[in-house]
Amino acid sequence: YLVGVPLANAYGLRVFGRSIWGALLAVPLSYNMIFVAGFANMLFGAPLMIVAIPLLHGTLRTSSWKRALVTALVIALLFLAHAHLFMWTGAMLFLLTFGHFVYGLATGKGLKQRLLKALKAAGIALACVVPTLLLFARWYSRTFGEGRTSGTVLNATSGIESNFGATFRASRQLLSTLVDIFEITASEKDTNGILWLMLLVGVAVAASRLARMRQAPVLELVFVLTFCSYFVLPDGLSGHDVLAQRQPAVALWFLPALLTPVPCRVSRIVRFLTVASTCALTYFLLASWYEPLRLFQKGEVAGLEAVMDAAPPRKRLHYVKLDPSSRYFTWRPFWHIEKIYMGDKLGQTADTPGILSTSCIRYRAGVDIHRNGNHTPDWASDPEIWRNFDVVLVRSWHPTPEQKKTAESHGSLVKRAGDWELWQSNEAGPL
C-alpha cells in the first residue's frame, strides 16, 4: 500500500499527461484514517483502484486486447479486495466510459462513423468489466440471498426493499466528523499540514490555468466526486459502520492530480514554487508522522511481534480489547490488531470478516466462529472464552492477584513482551 499508492499515482499522472511531481505528495497522504484504522482490505485495493482508471482510459483510446485483459484482471482483483472500493470505482469507470462515448459521438466525419466509435468504446469497457460483473452478480445473490444466513454469518445487510438499512447524518454532524477524519495524530501537526495542503492545492489549481491541459481532468474529477460523496453516501448500512466516513481518505489518494506544476515554457518561477512547495509539504507531513510513529512502535507496539511469533499456528484466538486506542493516533489503531494472527499464522479470530454477509470470503463455507464480547479486566473469569478459544491475546492487562490466579487455573502464559500477553487455554474444545 505505502509503495503502491505513490507508484499508481505516478502512472496515472503520466497516462493523463500530468507531471509526476504530485505523486511525491502521495507518500505522506497514504498515512490517513484508513491506514491507522487497519482497514487492510481497502489498503490492498487502493493501488488497484488508482490504476484501474488510467488503465481503462488507455484501453478505450488504443483498443488493445492485451491492455483490456490487464484492465479486466485489475478490476476483478479490486472487487475481491473490497466491495466498497469496487463499487465506487465502478461508478467512476462508468462516468469515464460515458465521457468516451460522448466524445465518440462528437468527433468524426459522419453520423455512422461517430456512432460506431461511441459504441466501440462502450463495448470495450463492457468487455473489461464483464468478468467482474459475473463475480459481482454471484456475490450479490449470496449477500442478499442464502448467504445472509448460511455458514457463520452474524452480520447481514438488509436488502434493497429496506434501503439496505442505510443511515445518514445531519449536515452539522457531517461537518464536525469531517474534521475528526483528518485528525490522525494526537498532535495538531497533521491538522496544520492539511491546512497547508489546502493552501497549496488552491495555489496550484489557480496556477494551472496558465497552461491548457491536453487531456481531460479525469483524476481531478475523481478526487472531487469522491470527496463530495462523503456528504451524499450513507453513514452506514445495517451491519456495516463507517461507510461515508471512508470517502475523504479515499479522495486523498487522487489529490496529487491537483498539484501538477505548469511546464517551464509557461512559467519557470511558478513551476519552481509549486515543486518546491510540494517537496516542503511532503517533508513536513512525513516529519509530523515520524515522531508519533516512532513512539508508537517503541512503546505501545513493542512486544507484539514477539508475542505473535510465540503463538501456535492455525488456532482460535480471542483478543481482549481492553484499550484499542492509542496515545499517539486516533481511530483506535489496535481495534483490528488480531488480524495479524490470521495473516501470519493462518488462525481464526472472533471478528473475522467472514461473519459479514457482504464479505467476498463468503463464497466458501468457513469454520464455526464464536464471538465473545467480554473485553473487561475480569475476562479470565469467563469460562466461555477458555472453552471456545485456544489462545487469548491481551494488551495492557494489569490483573489483581485474584484475576491472575483465575487465569492460571484455566490456562498458561505463553509469552509476555511489552504490554502484550498471550495465554493458552487448557480447556478449549476441538476445532
Side-chain angles (χ1 to χ4, degrees):
Y1 166 74
L2 294 175
V3 175
V5 167
L7 291 180
N9 265 278
Y11 171 74
L13 292 172
R14 277 301 189 203
V15 169
F16 288 103
R18 309 291 192 265
S19 169
I20 64 172
W21 272 107
L24 180 65
L25 202 59
V27 177
L29 292 181
S30 300
Y31 295 94
N32 52 35
M33 62 86 69
I34 293 177
F35 177 79
V36 172
F39 297 155
N41 295 60
M42 297 192 75
L43 299 179
F44 182 84
L48 299 172
M49 177 185 186
I50 300 170
V51 166
I53 296 171
L55 270 179
L56 181 63
H57 175 73
T59 302
L60 294 176
R61 294 189 63 184
T62 62
S63 303
S64 168
W65 67 269
K66 291 183 179 180
R67 187 186 291 267
L69 288 176
V70 174
T71 305
L73 176 62
V74 168
I75 296 174
L77 290 175
L78 176 59
F79 166 69
L80 294 174
H82 204 281
H84 176 172
L85 289 187
F86 163 74
M87 296 177 72
W88 182 251
T89 305
M92 300 298 99
L93 295 181
F94 172 80
L95 294 177
L96 177 62
T97 303
F98 182 75
H100 277 269
F101 183 85
V102 173
Y103 179 78
L105 288 177
T107 58
K109 295 182 179 180
L111 177 60
K112 182 178 179 180
Q113 183 183 16
R114 286 182 289 172
L115 184 60
L116 289 176
K117 186 177 181 180
L119 292 176
K120 182 180 179 181
I124 292 174
L126 183 62
C128 290
V129 299
V130 160
T132 309
L133 289 179
L134 294 176
L135 290 173
F136 177 81
R138 170 62 175 161
W139 170 84
Y140 188 89
S141 66
R142 279 186 56 80
T143 297
F144 301 102
E146 74 275 12
R148 298 179 67 226
T149 56
S150 65
T152 54
V153 169
L154 298 181
N155 290 342
T157 300
S158 301
I160 189 172
E161 68 281 354
S162 303
N163 196 27
F164 302 103
T167 57
F168 296 86
R169 294 195 183 199
S171 299
R172 181 174 296 180
Q173 291 178 314
L174 287 173
L175 291 175
S176 62
T177 304
L178 184 61
V179 176
D180 297 334
I181 291 174
F182 293 112
E183 289 183 350
I184 306 302
T185 67
S187 68
E188 294 184 354
K189 289 185 178 180
D190 59 330
T191 308
N192 294 335
I194 292 296
L195 296 177
W196 282 108
L197 179 62
M198 293 170 58
L199 177 62
L200 176 58
V201 167
V203 173
V205 170
S208 66
R209 297 180 64 86
L210 298 173
R212 182 182 177 87
M213 291 185 293
R214 296 182 179 180
Q215 295 196 45
V218 175
L219 295 179
E220 292 88 338
L221 289 174
V222 171
F223 165 78
V224 172
L225 292 173
T226 304
F227 184 84
C228 292
S229 67
Y230 165 74
F231 300 95
V232 179
L233 292 180
D235 188 62
L237 304 176
S238 58
H240 289 268
D241 300 323
V242 193
L243 184 60
Q245 295 178 58
R246 305 183 186 195
Q247 292 297 88
V250 173
L252 291 179
W253 297 336
F254 296 92
L255 181 63
L258 299 174
L259 298 170
T260 300
V262 298
C264 289
R265 66 177 182 275
V266 176
S267 175
R268 289 181 178 272
I269 295 178
V270 173
R271 179 178 178 84
F272 172 78
L273 291 177
T274 304
V275 171
S277 300
T278 300
C279 293
L281 185 57
T282 299
Y283 175 81
F284 175 82
L285 291 174
L286 287 176
S288 67
W289 271 87
Y290 172 76
E291 186 61 16
L293 275 174
R294 185 184 68 83
L295 296 174
F296 180 74
Q297 182 171 343
K298 182 180 179 181
E300 295 177 335
V301 182
L304 176 61
E305 186 174 357
V307 167
M308 285 297 179
D309 286 341
R314 300 178 182 272
K315 300 294 184 179
R316 297 161 297 186
L317 181 143
H318 175 66
Y319 171 42
V320 184
K321 299 176 182 178
L322 291 179
D323 186 13
S325 60
S326 167
R327 295 191 298 271
Y328 309 108
F329 294 103
T330 61
W331 290 96
R332 299 184 298 187
F334 293 113
W335 189 258
H336 296 288
I337 204 70
E338 80 277 20
K339 305 304 189 300
I340 294 177
Y341 182 68
M342 298 180 68
D344 288 357
K345 296 300 182 75
L346 302 179
Q348 189 65 258
T349 64
D351 289 329
T352 170
I355 63 177
L356 304 176
S357 64
T358 53
S359 293
C360 296
I361 198 174
R362 295 307 312 157
Y363 279 120
R364 307 184 68 177
V367 300
D368 289 337
I369 300 171
H370 189 87
R371 205 173 194 184
N372 187 289
N374 193 333
H375 302 291
T376 65
D378 199 34
W379 63 269
S381 61
D382 187 347
E384 185 181 344
I385 293 178
W386 301 106
R387 287 198 305 263
N388 293 281
F389 297 95
D390 303 286
V391 286
V392 181
L393 177 68
V394 60
R395 169 180 171 261
S396 297
W397 186 44
H398 306 290
T400 63
E402 291 77 13
Q403 291 172 335
K404 184 177 180 180
K405 184 177 180 181
T406 301
E408 292 173 341
S409 66
H410 294 284
S412 57
L413 181 64
V414 178
K415 183 75 175 182
R416 178 189 292 117
D419 292 334
W420 301 88
E421 293 182 14
L422 185 73
W423 289 78
Q424 186 161 5
S425 172
N426 298 331
E427 304 169 3
L431 287 172

